[in-house]
Amino acid sequence: GQEFVKLTVKDNDRPMFSNRLGEVKIPLDKVIANGRITDWFMIELDGKITGQVKCEIEYQPGLDSQ
């Protein structure tokens, strides 16, 4: 199966309501193939599109946490 990065998107300006706007799934194969991507991704909550978020993601193979 395809692997994804999954981001949870929240709105801190909505303290009286649920601040969770939804989730974004970004396919890892696209990130790895290009090394870096900048794109708009759909935010989904309960099967509905609630917005978009622009993300820049960079893949750096072989990095160690030393």
Side-chain angles (χ1 to χ4, degrees):
Q2 191 173 18
E3 294 181 307
F4 293 89
V5 172
K6 185 166 71 170
L7 306 175
T8 299
V9 181
K10 296 182 177 183
D11 182 353
N12 289 333
D13 292 336
R14 296 171 26 145
M16 300 287 289
F17 304 97
S18 168
N19 65 350
R20 187 170 171 261
L21 298 178
E23 294 179 342
V24 176
K25 288 174 64 176
I26 301 170
L28 281 177
D29 60 345
K30 184 176 178 182
V31 178
I32 292 170
N34 294 299
R36 177 188 301 228
I37 62 168
T38 301
D39 208 346
W40 288 92
F41 297 92
M42 296 295 156
I43 303 169
E44 293 187 38
L45 181 64
D46 300 327
K48 297 179 182 176
I49 303 294
T50 58
Q52 301 181 51
V53 64
K54 187 176 184 180
C55 296
E56 180 176 326
I57 302 168
E58 182 177 351
Y59 174 66
Q60 297 182 349
L63 291 182
D64 295 316
S65 56
Q66 296 178 4

